[in-house]
Amino acid sequence: MRIWSFAKGHGTMNDFVLVKDRSGMLHPSSEDVRFLCDRRAGIGADGMLRAVKADSVPEWKGPGDLWFMDYRNADGSIAEMCGNGLRVFVKWLLEEDLVSGDVVDIATRAGLRRALPHHDGTITVTMGSPQWSADEVDLRLDGRQWTGHRVDVGNPHCVVREPNPSALDLAGHLEIDPVAFPYGANVEFVDQVGPDHLRLRVVERGVGETMSCGTGVVAAAWDAANTRAEPHLDGCAYTVDVPGGALTVTFAPDGQAHLTGPAVIVARGEVALPDAR
């Protein structure tokens, strides 16, 4: 039996188990992650965030003194990026006195990300420059079909327009274009309720439907900005409603996307993991 210290947090109810592993000694397996994220047998979460010093991560080529956010989906698979997870990760590092200051840089598989904590408890994080394709891709869900756009926010997304996302049964069988998305994708069903106001539901790769998805919110806003009658990105801002709350996305003149929303740490403790097989 292995005993790990952990924290539990969420950003607009997209929840995570957080584990500190400064020197990269824990080596969590896919089975470990699935156990931690199991909502009945484990702690329960949409994913696991492991904090490890970047100089212990061979694939990271930047400054080694940063904290690296090792993000795993609930099924144990590795993901490149998570916007809600990034805010929760920074909130936890701040509360643990592992970082300080008005600006916090974090290493991720999608590159360097910067966080700006605010006095009201929200955190703004940089999300890189999304890549959008005008080529339409097919998506099917239990016999219904949509066409959507591919948006890359450090991880792949398929954004489709759906005027009534709340009516969908997202537990059904989802089929996504395997040519456009050979490794799968997060899928956003988006309703535009105003010129700068969206609402959506999301199915995350390796997880299923979640209450929120930070990269998905950015992908949906980027798609909306690119498909409006007069595409406009610089200085554009969107409010995006998700089942777990609301987030704000802004686009800077340099093409950088910024995501702002809450981050909350709700518990700390120790967990007994089964012996490794």
Side-chain angles (χ1 to χ4, degrees):
M1 182 177 294
R2 294 163 292 157
I3 305 298
W4 289 3
S5 296
F6 77 92
K8 172 75 181 284
H10 76 92
T12 51
M13 299 189 190
N14 192 193
D15 58 345
F16 309 92
V17 174
L18 301 110
V19 176
K20 183 173 69 173
D21 184 17
R22 179 183 290 269
S23 300
M25 302 298 291
L26 294 181
H27 307 295
S29 66
S30 296
E31 290 78 12
D32 291 334
V33 176
R34 289 195 290 269
F35 169 78
L36 291 171
C37 294
D38 191 298
R39 296 193 181 276
R40 289 180 172 81
I43 298 167
D46 294 325
M48 186 195 80
L49 302 171
R50 182 175 67 114
V52 58
K53 279 296 187 176
D55 59 7
S56 298
V57 181
E59 62 264 38
W60 174 253
K61 305 305 180 185
D65 61 338
L66 298 177
W67 285 102
F68 184 93
M69 185 181 78
D70 174 26
Y71 176 54
R72 313 291 181 95
N73 293 313
D75 68 351
S77 60
I78 293 174
E80 302 88 347
M81 180 56 187
C82 178
N84 288 326
L86 181 57
R87 297 195 319 279
V88 173
F89 188 76
V90 170
K91 177 71 171 179
W92 176 60
L93 292 178
L94 288 166
E95 290 192 0
E96 294 291 310
D97 291 325
L98 296 173
V99 295
S100 61
D102 297 330
V103 177
V104 179
D105 287 339
I106 300 296
T108 78
R109 290 188 176 88
L112 182 69
R113 294 294 182 260
R114 177 158 289 178
L116 292 84
H118 306 297
H119 293 299
D120 64 357
T122 63
I123 297 176
T124 296
V125 291
T126 59
M127 299 292 290
S129 298
Q131 302 299 309
W132 178 84
S133 174
D135 296 336
E136 293 186 336
V137 294
D138 293 327
L139 178 79
R140 293 179 180 84
L141 175 65
D142 289 343
R144 288 191 61 184
Q145 181 169 333
W146 293 262
T147 57
H149 293 123
R150 190 185 195 283
V151 186
D152 194 299
V153 191
N155 57 353
H157 293 263
C158 181
V159 179
V160 301
R161 294 301 179 95
E162 166 54 49
N164 191 13
S166 61
L168 296 175
D169 177 8
L170 297 186
H173 180 55
L174 192 66
E175 298 177 71
I176 194 167
D177 186 337
V179 176
F181 300 103
Y183 304 107
N186 296 351
V187 177
E188 288 77 36
F189 295 90
V190 183
D191 177 27
Q192 184 141 4
V193 296
D196 303 308
H197 189 181
L198 309 173
R199 62 173 176 169
L200 65 81
R201 291 174 68 192
V202 59
V203 177
E204 290 199 56
R205 178 183 56 169
V207 186
E209 184 180 9
T210 59
M211 297 293 283
S212 180
C213 173
T215 54
V217 163
V218 172
W222 193 256
D223 182 69
N226 275 281
T227 55
R228 59 199 301 170
E230 295 182 6
H232 174 66
L233 298 173
D234 294 355
C236 192
Y238 284 87
T239 297
V240 185
D241 297 330
V242 294
L247 295 161
T248 301
V249 182
T250 57
F251 302 121
D254 62 359
Q256 185 86 209
H258 299 261
L259 176 69
T260 301
V264 182
I265 304 301
V266 299
R268 289 175 172 83
E270 292 186 335
V271 58
L273 284 84
D275 289 332
R277 294 179 182 179

